């Protein structure tokens, strides 16, 4: 286990380094980051002064070394728009995004897994059909559009939920539901196929022949076996939700990191965008690592295999 | 099925009729078994027809403004008229024309994006699997990096740095989606290389390129076509998303994403400006997903029996 963990941690560190290189290179992809960040009608002197302040006129490797050392000390540079350090700005927005993603994940788990279990045990039943419909729609509806439509119906016409913002406790329902839909479909599909596999195993047939109630079998015998494959997905999906809520947060004016990305792009505040991208990527890498380790912990085949 | 027709004698006409019916029902059963694929192909075909023959299907141009006929609702609503079946937008542009011409942009971007991604990814993945060793590591490290990142954030980031143009969007999609093709290709090639028929081809003296071309590549077609179909569906989403925050093709180009981002401003008063392009995206994406599901089943008969 220790050896496995070390290898995984090492891989993650390498990936993290890759993230930093990529994020650094991307701002300099066009060759001139100054013209990227400044308005079109800035004068040549202003540009030169800006390059001086930002250090863009130094050799690229020096800039990179400088940026990396600052990042390691927790300094991701200053936001151009707010004129203050970018990282605290991002961290301020983190709780809202986590709340959204966690609620979405809860929706996905609470609806997707039970439906998937039932669908797996009763293939081609109504529940199965319904479940497959959810999975298909989750893949086929653009989530920001669904968000707009739900606002139109449930917030404006029916008035059940607030139109936007995060002021009320029920504000989270619509955006979290929209965010959860693709994940719900994925969990449902996985649970269904896992249940299909398990249902003919001896221990399940024994449980049935013992006369155990169907739901008791689902929960005591099938779920633990399905859970192993689900654990590996749930961590990754949570990371996806943290990084994938740009549009939803913009549509619902949810005060999280995603909304901040949208705003920062509008301001051409690239240091802030860069900070969010790097920060979110590192969080996602961390989540993936955690998932791998938990997975190895509960399934000995993983850590001893290979 | 049709074996009843092997008969002789007086009422062979009747027999032929019954075989015809038999065949029809056999065909029907085949189509019913592959109903997801049939529906997927139908949807895909209609979208392609709309995109290719947009000029003939609607008398309007997507950029023609008619301020006297602006903000008209779709024809099934009270103030709508059959002249503009899906209504008009805030500048009086015909919604149906914009959706048909928009299909060109959305399908074009996602099709060429997927093709570029597939070519890049297949080359990378095949080299990684075939050459192996150090090259495998050098190629797969960035591939795994990109695959473990929050994709949406990076695409938005790159798009905003490079600026919006049709070519940029296609290239961004092509390059950023190539890793998934690389991973799939590498996995498949590794699997195929172990197989008995490749081994026997090699021991029969086939050159490496012959093995690659005639034994490995044909087996890659199934998984790759499946992946391309899912990727086209995904890229229609990405284009719409980028358009939605103003980072896709320039705003004058009628893409579904751009229509959504304009329509959103009028959502409470003129909701069809938002619903129509969204339904177009959903329809196309549904078709591509159904097609992809079906292709996956067909190209891998082992999965065919389970889950049905």
């Amino acid at each position: 286990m220790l050896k496995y963990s070390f290898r995984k941690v090492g891989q993650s560190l390498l990936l993290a380094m890759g993230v930093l290189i990529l994020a650094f290179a991307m701002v300099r992809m066009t060759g001139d980051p100054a013209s990227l960040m400044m308005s079109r009608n800035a004068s040549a002197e202003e540009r030169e002064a800006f390059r001086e302040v930002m250090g863009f006129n130094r050799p690229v490797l020096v800039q990179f070394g400088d940026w990396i050392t600052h990042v390691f000390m927790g300094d991701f540079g200053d936001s151009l728009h707010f004129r203050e350090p970018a990282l605290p700005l991002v961290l301020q927005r983190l709780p809202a995004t986590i709340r959204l993603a966690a609620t979405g994940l809860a929706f996905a788990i609470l609806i997707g897994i039970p439906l998937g279990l039932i669908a797996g045990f009763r293939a081609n039943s109504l529940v199965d059909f319904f479940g497959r419909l959810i999975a298909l729609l989750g893949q086929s509806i653009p989530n920001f559009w669904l968000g707009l439509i739900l606002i139109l119906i449930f917030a404006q016409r029916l008035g059940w939920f607030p139109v936007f913002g995060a002021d009320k406790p029920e504000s989270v329902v619509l955006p979290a539901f929209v965010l959860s839909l693709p994940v719900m479909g994925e969990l449902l599909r996985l649970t269904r196929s896992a249940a299909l596999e398990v249902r003919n195993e001896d221990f399940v047939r024994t449980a049935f022949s013992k006369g155990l109630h169907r739901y008791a079998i689902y929960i005591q015998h099938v779920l633990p076996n399905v859970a192993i494959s689900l654990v590996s997905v749930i961590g990754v999906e949570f990371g996806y939700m943290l990084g994938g809520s740009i549009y939803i947060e913009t549509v619902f004016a949810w005060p999280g990191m995603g909304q901040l990305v949208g705003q920062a792009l509008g301001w051409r505040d690239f240091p802030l965008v860069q900070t969010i991208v790097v920060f979110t990527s590192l969080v996602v890498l961390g989540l993936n690592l955690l998932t791998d380790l938990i997975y190895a912990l509960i399934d000995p085949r993983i850590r001893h295999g290979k | 099925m049709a074996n009843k027709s092997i008969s002789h004698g007086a009422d062979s006409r009747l027999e032929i009729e019954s075989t015809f019916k038999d065949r029809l029902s056999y065909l029907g059963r085949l189509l019913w078994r592959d109903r997801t694929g049939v529906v997927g192909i139908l949807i895909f075909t209609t979208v392609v027809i709309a995109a290719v023959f947009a000029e003939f299907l609607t008398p309007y141009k997507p950029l023609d403004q008619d301020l006297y006929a602006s903000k008209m609702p779709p024809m099934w609503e009270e103030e709508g008229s059959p002249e503009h079946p899906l209504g008009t937008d805030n500048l009086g542009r015909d919604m149906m024309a914009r959706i048909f011409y928009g299909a060109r942009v959305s399908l074009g971007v996602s099709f060429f994006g997927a093709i570029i991604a597939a070519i890049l990814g297949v080359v990378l993945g095949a080299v990684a699997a075939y050459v192996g060793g150090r090259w495998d590591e050098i190629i797969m490290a960035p591939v795994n990096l990109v695959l473990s990142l929050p994709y949406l954030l990076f695409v938005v980031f790159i798009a905003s740095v490079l600026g919006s143009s049709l070519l940029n969007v296609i290239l961004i999609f092509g390059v950023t989606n190539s890793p998934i093709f690389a991973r799939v290709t590498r996995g498949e090639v590794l699997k195929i290389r172990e197989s008995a028929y490749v081994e026997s081809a090699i021991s029969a003296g086939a050159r490496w390129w012959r093995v690659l071309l005639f034994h490995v590549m044909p087996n890659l077609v199934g998984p790759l076509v499946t992946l391309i179909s899912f990727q086209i569906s995904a890229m229609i989403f990405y284009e719409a998303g980028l358009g939605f925050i103003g980072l896709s093709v320039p705003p004058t180009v009628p893409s579904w994403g751009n229509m959504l981002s304009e329509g959103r401003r009028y959502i409470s008063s003129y909701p069809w400006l938002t619903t129509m392009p969204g339904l177009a995206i959903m329809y196309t994406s549904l078709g591509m997903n159904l097609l992809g599901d079906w292709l996956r089943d067909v190209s891998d008969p082992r999965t065919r029996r389970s889950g049905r």
Side-chain angles (χ1 to χ4, degrees), chain A residues 53-269:
Chain A
V53 173
M54 300 293 286
F56 289 148
N57 45 7
R58 295 173 300 162
V60 173
L61 276 181
V62 176
Q63 289 183 43
F64 183 64
D66 190 46
W67 185 67
I68 288 282
T69 40
H70 277 94
V71 165
F72 274 119
M73 291 185 293
D75 172 17
F76 281 70
D78 288 359
S79 153
L80 295 176
H81 179 83
F82 294 101
R83 297 181 187 285
E84 47 182 291
L87 188 61
L89 289 170
V90 178
L91 290 177
Q92 261 173 25
R93 300 291 194 110
L94 185 62
T97 296
I98 290 184
R99 188 149 74 95
L100 184 62
T103 316
L105 192 65
F107 280 163
I109 291 175
L110 291 178
I111 301 175
I113 294 180
L115 271 185
L117 274 179
I118 300 175
F121 271 86
R122 314 188 139 190
N124 300 321
S125 67
L126 198 65
V127 177
D128 189 19
F129 174 76
F130 191 61
R132 273 200 268 177
L133 196 68
I134 290 184
L136 194 62
L137 290 182
Q139 278 181 331
S140 310
I141 303 181
N143 55 18
F144 49 95
W145 181 73
L146 182 64
L148 288 172
I149 300 300
L150 291 184
I151 290 178
L152 199 63
I153 299 173
F154 291 103
Q156 288 190 338
R157 297 273 150 88
L158 297 174
W160 292 354
F161 298 101
V163 176
F164 57 79
D167 311 328
K168 300 187 185 130
E170 69 264 29
S171 300
V172 77
V173 174
L174 288 184
F177 176 74
V178 174
L179 189 60
S180 77
L181 204 58
V183 181
M184 196 185 291
E186 178 73 18
L187 289 183
L188 199 152
R189 211 175 47 77
L190 269 176
T191 317
R192 178 179 182 274
S193 58
L196 267 176
E197 264 174 42
V198 176
R199 89 177 153 173
N200 292 326
E201 297 275 340
D202 287 342
F203 63 89
V204 174
R205 297 219 312 264
T206 311
F208 268 112
S209 59
K210 272 199 310 194
L212 219 54
H213 191 268
R214 194 184 326 125
Y215 291 105
I217 297 173
Y218 290 169
I219 292 168
Q220 289 168 12
H221 296 279
V222 179
L223 204 55
N225 285 286
V226 176
I228 291 181
S229 54
L230 287 179
V231 163
S232 66
V233 180
I234 286 175
V236 175
E237 294 291 348
F238 189 63
Y240 152 80
M241 288 169 127
L242 284 180
S245 56
I246 307 174
Y247 303 137
I248 293 168
E249 289 191 10
T250 307
V251 166
F252 287 93
W254 186 261
M257 290 193 300
Q259 192 198 26
L260 191 61
V261 176
Q263 292 167 336
L265 288 171
W267 301 320
R268 304 198 72 70
D269 187 349

Side-chain angles (χ1 to χ4, degrees), chain A residues 15 26 139-140 145 247 265 281, chain B residues 154 156-157 237 241 274 278 289:
Chain A
L15 286 177
M26 262 157 48
Q139 278 181 331
S140 310
W145 181 73
Y247 303 137
L265 288 171
S281 306
Chain B
F154 268 88
V156 167
F157 191 12
F237 270 34
T274 309
N289 279 323

Side-chain angles (χ1 to χ4, degrees), chain B residues 90-125:
Chain B
N90 52 313
L91 296 172
R93 296 174 294 196
D94 183 60
M95 286 299 282
M96 199 158 88
R98 286 175 74 70
I99 285 182
F100 284 0
Y101 282 90
R104 278 187 190 177
V105 181
S106 295
L107 268 193
V109 164
S110 44
F111 180 76
F112 287 111
I115 293 296
I116 293 176
I119 293 174
L120 270 178
V122 168
V123 170
L124 287 175

